[in-house]
Amino acid sequence: QREFDVIWPKLRVLARCQPEDKLTLVNGLRNSKLFKDTATCAKLDQEHGIKIFPDYQVVAVTGDGTNDAPALRSADVGFAMGIV
């Protein structure tokens, strides 16, 4: 989790990824307690203009197949797209 917390604040969009990657991202964000580390949050804001919400992080995921179901179910917001 510590390594994940170093990476995720700088992520904005994860596109064209495998369903397992989506689930890893959702679980990592849901388990993150980075918002409690005020020094790191202040540093991210000062150096990169990245603001971390001072509480639980809301996670949204999109998916277009049944293999995306675990990530969609684990996220706070899940959009299932019916691509024809």
Side-chain angles (χ1 to χ4, degrees):
Q1 185 67 47
R2 185 180 312 238
E3 291 175 10
F4 185 83
D5 284 346
V6 170
I7 296 168
W8 79 256
K10 296 174 186 159
L11 291 176
R12 291 295 168 255
V13 175
L14 187 62
R16 306 292 300 162
C17 62
Q18 297 296 317
E20 299 82 17
D21 297 334
K22 291 180 185 181
L23 185 57
T24 298
L25 182 63
V26 169
N27 289 334
L29 287 168
R30 304 267 328 234
N31 293 327
S32 178
K33 303 295 184 235
L34 181 63
F35 64 89
K36 294 182 179 182
D37 184 350
T38 55
T40 300
C41 289
K43 184 178 177 182
L44 284 167
D45 187 17
Q46 183 179 27
E47 293 179 5
H48 303 286
I50 297 170
K51 297 187 185 326
I52 305 296
F53 290 110
D55 56 7
Y56 178 78
Q57 304 303 300
V58 176
V59 182
V61 175
T62 62
D64 63 355
T66 57
N67 54 352
D68 292 318
L72 292 168
R73 186 175 32 254
S74 297
D76 296 298
V77 179
F79 293 100
M81 302 178 294
I83 297 176
V84 182

Coordinates of all heavy atoms in Angstrom, one line a residue:
Q1 N 0.8 -1.2 0.0 CA 0.0 0.0 0.0 C 0.9 1.3 0.0 O 0.5 2.2 -0.7 CB -0.9 0.0 1.2 CG -1.9 1.1 1.2 CD -2.9 1.1 0.1 OE1 -3.5 0.0 -0.1 NE2 -3.1 2.2 -0.6
R2 N 2.0 1.2 0.7 CA 2.9 2.4 0.8 C 3.3 2.8 -0.6 O 3.3 4.0 -1.0 CB 4.1 2.1 1.7 CG 5.0 3.3 1.9 CD 6.1 2.9 2.8 NE 5.6 2.2 4.0 CZ 5.9 2.5 5.2 NH1 6.6 3.6 5.5 NH2 5.4 1.8 6.2
E3 N 3.8 1.8 -1.5 CA 4.2 2.1 -2.8 C 3.1 2.7 -3.7 O 3.3 3.6 -4.5 CB 4.8 0.9 -3.5 CG 6.1 0.5 -2.8 CD 6.7 -0.8 -3.4 OE1 6.1 -1.3 -4.4 OE2 7.6 -1.4 -2.9
F4 N 1.9 2.1 -3.5 CA 0.7 2.6 -4.2 C 0.4 4.0 -3.9 O 0.1 4.8 -4.7 CB -0.5 1.7 -3.9 CG -1.7 2.0 -4.7 CD1 -1.8 1.5 -6.0 CD2 -2.7 2.8 -4.2 CE1 -2.9 1.8 -6.8 CE2 -3.8 3.1 -5.0 CZ -3.9 2.6 -6.3
D5 N 0.5 4.4 -2.6 CA 0.2 5.7 -2.1 C 1.2 6.8 -2.7 O 0.9 8.0 -2.7 CB 0.2 5.8 -0.6 CG -1.1 5.2 -0.1 OD1 -2.1 5.0 -0.8 OD2 -1.2 5.0 1.2
V6 N 2.4 6.3 -3.1 CA 3.3 7.2 -3.7 C 2.9 7.5 -5.2 O 3.0 8.6 -5.7 CB 4.8 6.7 -3.7 CG1 5.7 7.5 -4.6 CG2 5.3 6.5 -2.3
I7 N 2.3 6.5 -5.8 CA 2.0 6.6 -7.3 C 0.6 7.2 -7.5 O 0.5 8.1 -8.4 CB 2.1 5.2 -7.9 CG1 3.5 4.7 -7.9 CG2 1.6 5.3 -9.3 CD1 3.6 3.2 -8.2
W8 N -0.4 6.8 -6.8 CA -1.8 7.2 -7.2 C -2.1 8.7 -7.2 O -2.9 9.1 -8.0 CB -2.8 6.4 -6.4 CG -3.2 6.8 -5.0 CD1 -2.7 6.3 -3.8 CD2 -4.0 7.9 -4.6 NE1 -3.2 6.9 -2.8 CE2 -4.0 8.0 -3.2 CE3 -4.7 8.9 -5.3 CZ2 -4.7 8.9 -2.5 CZ3 -5.4 9.8 -4.6 CH2 -5.4 9.8 -3.2
P9 N -1.5 9.5 -6.3 CA -1.9 10.9 -6.4 C -1.6 11.6 -7.8 O -2.3 12.5 -8.1 CB -1.1 11.6 -5.3 CG -0.9 10.5 -4.3 CD -0.7 9.3 -5.2
K10 N -0.7 11.0 -8.5 CA -0.3 11.6 -9.8 C -1.0 11.0 -10.9 O -0.9 11.5 -12.1 CB 1.2 11.5 -10.0 CG 2.0 12.3 -8.9 CD 3.5 12.1 -9.0 CE 4.1 12.8 -7.8 NZ 5.4 12.3 -7.5
L11 N -1.8 10.0 -10.7 CA -2.6 9.4 -11.8 C -3.9 10.2 -12.0 O -4.5 10.7 -11.0 CB -3.1 8.0 -11.4 CG -2.0 6.9 -11.3 CD1 -2.6 5.6 -10.9 CD2 -1.4 6.7 -12.7
R12 N -4.3 10.4 -13.2 CA -5.5 11.1 -13.5 C -6.5 10.2 -14.2 O -7.7 10.2 -13.9 CB -5.3 12.4 -14.3 CG -4.5 13.5 -13.5 CD -5.4 13.9 -12.4 NE -4.7 14.7 -11.4 CZ -4.4 14.3 -10.2 NH1 -4.6 13.1 -9.8 NH2 -3.8 15.1 -9.3
V13 N -6.0 9.6 -15.2 CA -6.9 8.7 -16.0 C -6.1 7.4 -16.3 O -4.9 7.5 -16.7 CB -7.3 9.3 -17.3 CG1 -8.1 8.3 -18.2 CG2 -8.2 10.6 -17.1
L14 N -6.7 6.3 -16.1 CA -6.1 5.0 -16.5 C -6.9 4.4 -17.6 O -8.1 4.0 -17.3 CB -6.0 4.1 -15.3 CG -5.3 2.8 -15.4 CD1 -3.8 3.1 -15.7 CD2 -5.4 1.9 -14.1
A15 N -6.4 4.5 -18.8 CA -7.2 4.1 -20.0 C -6.7 2.8 -20.6 O -5.5 2.5 -20.5 CB -7.2 5.2 -21.0
R16 N -7.7 2.1 -21.2 CA -7.3 0.8 -21.9 C -6.6 -0.1 -21.1 O -5.5 -0.7 -21.5 CB -6.6 1.2 -23.2 CG -7.2 2.2 -24.1 CD -8.4 1.7 -24.8 NE -8.1 0.5 -25.6 CZ -9.1 -0.3 -26.0 NH1 -10.3 -0.1 -25.7 NH2 -8.8 -1.4 -26.7
C17 N -7.0 -0.4 -19.9 CA -6.3 -1.3 -19.0 C -7.1 -2.6 -18.8 O -8.3 -2.7 -19.1 CB -6.1 -0.6 -17.6 SG -7.6 -0.2 -16.8
Q18 N -6.4 -3.6 -18.3 CA -7.0 -4.9 -18.0 C -8.0 -4.8 -16.8 O -7.8 -3.9 -15.9 CB -6.0 -5.9 -17.7 CG -5.0 -6.1 -18.9 CD -5.8 -6.7 -20.1 OE1 -6.6 -7.6 -20.0 NE2 -5.5 -6.2 -21.3
P19 N -9.0 -5.6 -16.8 CA -9.9 -5.6 -15.6 C -9.2 -5.8 -14.3 O -9.6 -5.2 -13.3 CB -10.8 -6.8 -15.9 CG -10.8 -6.9 -17.4 CD -9.4 -6.6 -17.8
E20 N -8.1 -6.6 -14.3 CA -7.4 -6.8 -13.0 C -6.7 -5.5 -12.6 O -6.6 -5.2 -11.4 CB -6.4 -7.9 -13.2 CG -6.9 -9.3 -13.5 CD -7.2 -9.4 -15.0 OE1 -6.7 -8.6 -15.9 OE2 -8.0 -10.3 -15.4
D21 N -6.3 -4.7 -13.5 CA -5.6 -3.4 -13.2 C -6.7 -2.5 -12.6 O -6.4 -1.7 -11.7 CB -5.0 -2.8 -14.4 CG -3.9 -3.6 -15.0 OD1 -3.3 -4.4 -14.2 OD2 -3.6 -3.5 -16.2
K22 N -7.9 -2.5 -13.1 CA -8.9 -1.6 -12.6 C -9.2 -2.0 -11.2 O -9.4 -1.2 -10.3 CB -10.2 -1.8 -13.4 CG -10.1 -1.2 -14.8 CD -11.4 -1.4 -15.5 CE -11.3 -0.9 -17.0 NZ -12.6 -1.0 -17.7
L23 N -9.3 -3.3 -10.9 CA -9.7 -3.8 -9.6 C -8.5 -3.4 -8.6 O -8.8 -3.0 -7.5 CB -9.9 -5.3 -9.5 CG -10.4 -5.9 -8.2 CD1 -11.6 -5.2 -7.7 CD2 -10.6 -7.4 -8.3
T24 N -7.3 -3.6 -9.0 CA -6.1 -3.2 -8.2 C -6.2 -1.7 -7.8 O -5.9 -1.3 -6.7 CB -4.8 -3.5 -8.9 OG1 -4.8 -4.9 -9.1 CG2 -3.6 -3.1 -8.1
L25 N -6.5 -0.9 -8.8 CA -6.6 0.6 -8.6 C -7.7 0.9 -7.6 O -7.5 1.7 -6.7 CB -6.8 1.3 -9.9 CG -6.8 2.8 -9.8 CD1 -5.5 3.4 -9.3 CD2 -7.2 3.4 -11.2
V26 N -8.9 0.3 -7.8 CA -10.0 0.6 -6.9 C -9.6 0.2 -5.5 O -9.8 0.9 -4.6 CB -11.3 -0.2 -7.4 CG1 -12.4 -0.1 -6.3 CG2 -11.8 0.4 -8.7
N27 N -9.1 -1.0 -5.3 CA -8.8 -1.5 -4.0 C -7.7 -0.7 -3.3 O -7.8 -0.3 -2.1 CB -8.4 -3.0 -4.0 CG -9.5 -3.9 -4.3 OD1 -10.7 -3.6 -4.0 ND2 -9.2 -5.1 -4.9
G28 N -6.7 -0.3 -4.1 CA -5.6 0.6 -3.6 C -6.2 1.9 -3.1 O -5.8 2.4 -2.0
L29 N -7.0 2.5 -3.9 CA -7.6 3.8 -3.5 C -8.5 3.7 -2.3 O -8.5 4.5 -1.4 CB -8.4 4.4 -4.7 CG -7.5 5.0 -5.8 CD1 -8.3 5.3 -7.0 CD2 -6.7 6.2 -5.4
R30 N -9.3 2.7 -2.3 CA -10.2 2.5 -1.1 C -9.5 2.2 0.2 O -10.0 2.5 1.2 CB -11.2 1.3 -1.4 CG -12.0 1.5 -2.7 CD -13.4 2.1 -2.6 NE -14.1 1.9 -1.5 CZ -15.3 1.4 -1.4 NH1 -15.9 1.0 -2.5 NH2 -16.0 1.3 -0.3
N31 N -8.3 1.6 0.1 CA -7.5 1.2 1.3 C -6.5 2.3 1.7 O -5.9 2.2 2.7 CB -6.8 -0.1 1.1 CG -7.7 -1.3 0.9 OD1 -8.7 -1.3 1.6 ND2 -7.3 -2.2 0.1
S32 N -6.4 3.3 0.8 CA -5.4 4.4 1.1 C -5.8 5.2 2.3 O -7.0 5.6 2.5 CB -5.3 5.3 -0.1 OG -4.4 6.3 0.1
K33 N -4.8 5.5 3.1 CA -5.0 6.4 4.2 C -4.1 7.7 4.1 O -3.8 8.4 5.0 CB -4.6 5.7 5.5 CG -5.5 4.5 5.8 CD -6.9 4.8 6.0 CE -7.7 3.6 6.3 NZ -8.8 3.3 5.5
L34 N -3.7 7.9 2.8 CA -2.8 9.0 2.5 C -3.4 10.4 3.0 O -2.6 11.2 3.4 CB -2.5 9.1 1.0 CG -1.6 10.2 0.5 CD1 -0.2 10.0 1.1 CD2 -1.5 10.2 -1.0
F35 N -4.7 10.5 2.9 CA -5.3 11.8 3.4 C -5.0 12.1 4.8 O -5.1 13.3 5.2 CB -6.8 11.8 3.1 CG -7.6 10.7 3.9 CD1 -8.0 11.0 5.2 CD2 -7.8 9.5 3.4 CE1 -8.7 10.1 5.9 CE2 -8.5 8.5 4.1 CZ -9.0 8.8 5.4
K36 N -4.6 11.1 5.6 CA -4.3 11.4 7.0 C -2.8 11.9 7.2 O -2.5 12.4 8.3 CB -4.4 10.1 7.8 CG -5.8 9.6 7.9 CD -5.9 8.3 8.8 CE -7.3 7.9 8.9 NZ -7.5 6.7 9.8
D37 N -2.0 11.8 6.1 CA -0.6 12.3 6.2 C -0.6 13.7 5.7 O -0.4 14.0 4.5 CB 0.2 11.4 5.3 CG 1.7 11.7 5.4 OD1 2.1 12.8 6.0 OD2 2.5 10.9 4.9
T38 N -0.8 14.7 6.6 CA -0.9 16.1 6.2 C 0.3 16.6 5.6 O 0.3 17.5 4.7 CB -1.4 16.9 7.4 OG1 -0.4 16.7 8.5 CG2 -2.8 16.6 7.9
A39 N 1.5 16.1 6.0 CA 2.8 16.6 5.5 C 2.9 16.2 4.0 O 3.3 17.1 3.2 CB 3.9 16.1 6.3
T40 N 2.6 15.0 3.7 CA 2.6 14.5 2.3 C 1.6 15.3 1.4 O 1.9 15.7 0.3 CB 2.4 13.0 2.2 OG1 3.5 12.4 3.0 CG2 2.5 12.5 0.8
C41 N 0.4 15.4 2.0 CA -0.6 16.2 1.2 C -0.2 17.6 0.9 O -0.4 18.1 -0.2 CB -1.9 16.1 2.0 SG -2.7 14.5 2.0
A42 N 0.4 18.2 1.9 CA 0.9 19.6 1.7 C 2.0 19.7 0.7 O 2.0 20.6 -0.2 CB 1.4 20.2 3.1
K43 N 2.9 18.7 0.7 CA 4.0 18.6 -0.3 C 3.4 18.4 -1.7 O 3.9 19.1 -2.6 CB 4.9 17.5 0.1 CG 6.1 17.4 -0.8 CD 7.1 16.4 -0.3 CE 8.3 16.2 -1.2 NZ 9.2 15.2 -0.8
L44 N 2.4 17.5 -1.8 CA 1.8 17.3 -3.2 C 1.2 18.5 -3.7 O 1.3 18.9 -4.9 CB 0.8 16.1 -3.1 CG 1.4 14.7 -3.0 CD1 0.3 13.7 -2.6 CD2 2.0 14.3 -4.3
D45 N 0.5 19.3 -2.8 CA -0.2 20.5 -3.2 C 0.9 21.6 -3.6 O 0.7 22.2 -4.7 CB -1.0 21.0 -2.1 CG -1.9 22.2 -2.5 OD1 -2.1 22.4 -3.7 OD2 -2.4 22.9 -1.6
Q46 N 1.9 21.7 -2.8 CA 2.9 22.7 -3.1 C 3.7 22.4 -4.3 O 3.9 23.3 -5.2 CB 3.8 22.9 -1.9 CG 4.9 23.9 -2.0 CD 5.8 24.0 -0.8 OE1 6.0 23.0 -0.1 NE2 6.3 25.2 -0.6
E47 N 4.1 21.2 -4.5 CA 5.0 20.9 -5.6 C 4.3 20.6 -6.9 O 4.9 20.8 -8.0 CB 5.9 19.7 -5.2 CG 6.9 20.0 -4.1 CD 7.7 18.8 -3.7 OE1 7.6 17.7 -4.4 OE2 8.5 18.9 -2.8
H48 N 3.1 20.0 -6.8 CA 2.4 19.6 -8.1 C 1.0 20.1 -8.2 O 0.4 19.8 -9.2 CB 2.3 18.0 -8.1 CG 3.7 17.3 -8.0 ND1 4.6 17.3 -9.0 CD2 4.2 16.7 -6.9 CE1 5.6 16.6 -8.6 NE2 5.5 16.2 -7.3
G49 N 0.5 20.9 -7.3 CA -0.8 21.4 -7.3 C -1.9 20.3 -7.2 O -3.0 20.5 -7.6
I50 N -1.5 19.2 -6.5 CA -2.4 18.1 -6.3 C -3.0 18.2 -5.0 O -2.3 18.2 -3.9 CB -1.7 16.8 -6.5 CG1 -1.1 16.6 -7.9 CG2 -2.6 15.6 -6.1 CD1 -0.2 15.4 -8.1
K51 N -4.4 18.3 -4.9 CA -5.1 18.3 -3.6 C -5.7 17.0 -3.3 O -6.4 16.4 -4.2 CB -6.1 19.4 -3.7 CG -5.5 20.8 -3.9 CD -6.6 21.9 -3.8 CE -6.1 23.3 -4.1 NZ -4.8 23.6 -3.7
I52 N -5.4 16.5 -2.2 CA -6.0 15.2 -1.7 C -7.2 15.5 -0.8 O -7.0 16.3 0.1 CB -5.0 14.4 -0.9 CG1 -3.7 14.1 -1.8 CG2 -5.6 13.1 -0.4 CD1 -3.9 13.3 -3.0
F53 N -8.3 15.0 -1.1 CA -9.5 15.2 -0.2 C -9.1 14.8 1.2 O -8.4 13.8 1.5 CB -10.7 14.4 -0.7 CG -11.3 14.9 -1.9 CD1 -11.2 14.1 -3.1 CD2 -12.0 16.1 -2.0 CE1 -11.7 14.5 -4.3 CE2 -12.5 16.5 -3.2 CZ -12.4 15.7 -4.3
P54 N -9.6 15.6 2.2 CA -9.2 15.3 3.6 C -10.0 14.2 4.2 O -10.1 14.1 5.5 CB -9.5 16.7 4.3 CG -10.6 17.3 3.5 CD -10.4 16.8 2.1
D55 N -10.5 13.3 3.5 CA -11.2 12.2 4.0 C -11.2 11.1 2.9 O -10.4 11.1 2.0 CB -12.6 12.5 4.5 CG -13.5 13.1 3.4 OD1 -13.1 13.2 2.2 OD2 -14.6 13.6 3.7
Y56 N -12.1 10.2 3.0 CA -12.3 9.0 2.1 C -12.3 9.5 0.7 O -12.9 10.5 0.3 CB -13.6 8.3 2.5 CG -13.9 7.2 1.6 CD1 -13.3 5.9 1.8 CD2 -14.9 7.3 0.6 CE1 -13.6 4.8 1.0 CE2 -15.2 6.2 -0.2 CZ -14.6 5.0 0.1 OH -14.9 3.9 -0.7
Q57 N -11.5 8.8 -0.2 CA -11.4 9.1 -1.6 C -12.6 8.4 -2.4 O -12.8 7.2 -2.2 CB -10.1 8.6 -2.2 CG -8.9 9.2 -1.5 CD -8.9 10.7 -1.5 OE1 -8.9 11.3 -2.5 NE2 -8.9 11.3 -0.3
V58 N -13.3 9.1 -3.2 CA -14.4 8.5 -4.0 C -13.8 8.0 -5.3 O -13.0 8.7 -6.0 CB -15.4 9.6 -4.3 CG1 -16.5 9.0 -5.3 CG2 -16.0 10.2 -3.1
V59 N -14.1 6.8 -5.6 CA -13.5 6.1 -6.8 C -14.7 5.8 -7.8 O -15.7 5.2 -7.5 CB -12.9 4.7 -6.4 CG1 -12.2 4.0 -7.5 CG2 -11.9 5.0 -5.2
A60 N -14.4 6.2 -9.1 CA -15.3 5.9 -10.1 C -14.6 5.1 -11.2 O -13.5 5.3 -11.5 CB -15.9 7.2 -10.7
V61 N -15.4 4.1 -11.8 CA -14.8 3.2 -12.8 C -15.8 3.0 -13.9 O -17.0 3.0 -13.7 CB -14.5 1.8 -12.2 CG1 -14.0 0.8 -13.2 CG2 -13.5 1.9 -11.1
T62 N -15.3 2.9 -15.1 CA -16.1 2.5 -16.3 C -15.7 1.1 -16.7 O -14.6 0.7 -16.5 CB -16.0 3.5 -17.4 OG1 -14.7 3.5 -17.9 CG2 -16.4 4.9 -17.0
G63 N -16.6 0.4 -17.4 CA -16.3 -0.9 -17.9 C -17.3 -1.2 -19.0 O -18.4 -0.7 -19.1
D64 N -16.9 -2.2 -19.9 CA -17.7 -2.5 -21.0 C -17.9 -4.0 -21.2 O -18.4 -4.5 -22.2 CB -17.1 -2.0 -22.3 CG -15.8 -2.5 -22.7 OD1 -15.2 -3.3 -21.8 OD2 -15.2 -2.2 -23.7
G65 N -17.6 -4.8 -20.1 CA -17.8 -6.2 -20.2 C -18.0 -6.8 -18.8 O -17.8 -6.2 -17.8
T66 N -18.4 -8.1 -18.8 CA -18.6 -8.7 -17.5 C -17.3 -8.9 -16.8 O -17.4 -9.0 -15.5 CB -19.3 -10.1 -17.8 OG1 -18.5 -10.9 -18.6 CG2 -20.7 -10.0 -18.4
N67 N -16.2 -9.0 -17.4 CA -14.9 -9.1 -16.7 C -14.6 -7.9 -15.9 O -13.7 -7.9 -15.0 CB -13.8 -9.5 -17.7 CG -13.7 -8.5 -18.8 OD1 -14.5 -7.6 -19.0 ND2 -12.7 -8.6 -19.6
D68 N -15.3 -6.7 -16.2 CA -15.1 -5.5 -15.4 C -16.0 -5.5 -14.2 O -15.8 -4.5 -13.3 CB -15.4 -4.3 -16.3 CG -14.4 -4.1 -17.4 OD1 -13.2 -4.2 -17.1 OD2 -14.8 -3.7 -18.5
A69 N -16.8 -6.4 -14.0 CA -17.8 -6.4 -12.9 C -17.2 -6.3 -11.5 O -17.7 -5.5 -10.7 CB -18.7 -7.7 -13.0
P70 N -16.1 -7.0 -11.2 CA -15.5 -6.8 -9.8 C -15.1 -5.4 -9.5 O -15.3 -4.9 -8.4 CB -14.3 -7.8 -9.9 CG -14.6 -8.8 -10.9 CD -15.4 -8.1 -11.9
A71 N -14.4 -4.7 -10.5 CA -14.0 -3.3 -10.3 C -15.2 -2.4 -10.2 O -15.3 -1.5 -9.3 CB -13.1 -2.9 -11.4
L72 N -16.2 -2.6 -11.0 CA -17.4 -1.8 -11.0 C -18.1 -2.0 -9.7 O -18.6 -1.0 -9.1 CB -18.4 -2.2 -12.2 CG -17.9 -1.9 -13.6 CD1 -18.7 -2.6 -14.6 CD2 -17.9 -0.4 -13.8
R73 N -18.2 -3.2 -9.2 CA -18.9 -3.5 -7.9 C -18.1 -2.9 -6.7 O -18.7 -2.4 -5.8 CB -19.1 -5.0 -7.8 CG -19.9 -5.4 -6.6 CD -20.2 -6.9 -6.5 NE -19.1 -7.7 -7.0 CZ -19.2 -8.4 -8.2 NH1 -20.3 -8.3 -8.9 NH2 -18.2 -9.2 -8.6
S74 N -16.8 -2.9 -6.8 CA -16.0 -2.4 -5.7 C -15.9 -0.9 -5.6 O -15.6 -0.3 -4.6 CB -14.6 -2.9 -5.8 OG -14.6 -4.3 -5.7
A75 N -16.1 -0.2 -6.8 CA -16.0 1.3 -6.8 C -17.2 1.9 -6.2 O -18.3 1.3 -6.0 CB -15.9 1.7 -8.3
D76 N -17.1 3.2 -5.8 CA -18.2 3.9 -5.3 C -19.2 4.3 -6.4 O -20.4 4.3 -6.2 CB -17.7 5.3 -4.7 CG -16.8 5.0 -3.5 OD1 -17.3 4.4 -2.5 OD2 -15.6 5.4 -3.5
V77 N -18.6 4.5 -7.6 CA -19.5 4.8 -8.8 C -19.0 3.9 -9.9 O -17.8 3.9 -10.2 CB -19.3 6.3 -9.2 CG1 -20.2 6.6 -10.4 CG2 -19.7 7.2 -8.1
G78 N -19.9 3.2 -10.5 CA -19.5 2.3 -11.6 C -20.4 2.5 -12.8 O -21.6 2.5 -12.6
F79 N -19.8 2.8 -13.9 CA -20.6 3.0 -15.1 C -20.3 1.8 -16.1 O -19.2 1.6 -16.5 CB -20.2 4.3 -15.9 CG -20.6 5.5 -15.1 CD1 -19.6 6.2 -14.4 CD2 -21.9 6.0 -15.1 CE1 -20.0 7.3 -13.7 CE2 -22.2 7.2 -14.4 CZ -21.2 7.8 -13.7
A80 N -21.4 1.0 -16.4 CA -21.2 -0.1 -17.3 C -21.7 0.4 -18.7 O -22.9 0.9 -18.8 CB -22.1 -1.3 -16.8
M81 N -20.9 0.3 -19.6 CA -21.2 0.9 -21.0 C -21.6 -0.3 -21.9 O -20.8 -1.2 -22.0 CB -20.0 1.6 -21.5 CG -19.5 2.8 -20.6 SD -18.1 3.6 -21.3 CE -16.9 2.3 -21.2
G82 N -22.7 -0.1 -22.6 CA -23.1 -1.1 -23.6 C -22.6 -0.7 -24.9 O -23.3 0.1 -25.6
I83 N -21.4 -1.1 -25.3 CA -20.8 -0.7 -26.5 C -21.3 -1.7 -27.6 O -21.2 -2.9 -27.5 CB -19.3 -0.7 -26.5 CG1 -18.9 0.4 -25.5 CG2 -18.7 -0.4 -27.8 CD1 -17.4 0.4 -25.2
V84 N -21.9 -1.1 -28.7 CA -22.4 -1.9 -29.7 C -21.6 -1.9 -31.0 O -21.0 -0.9 -31.3 CB -23.9 -1.5 -30.1 CG1 -24.5 -2.3 -31.2 CG2 -24.7 -1.5 -28.9

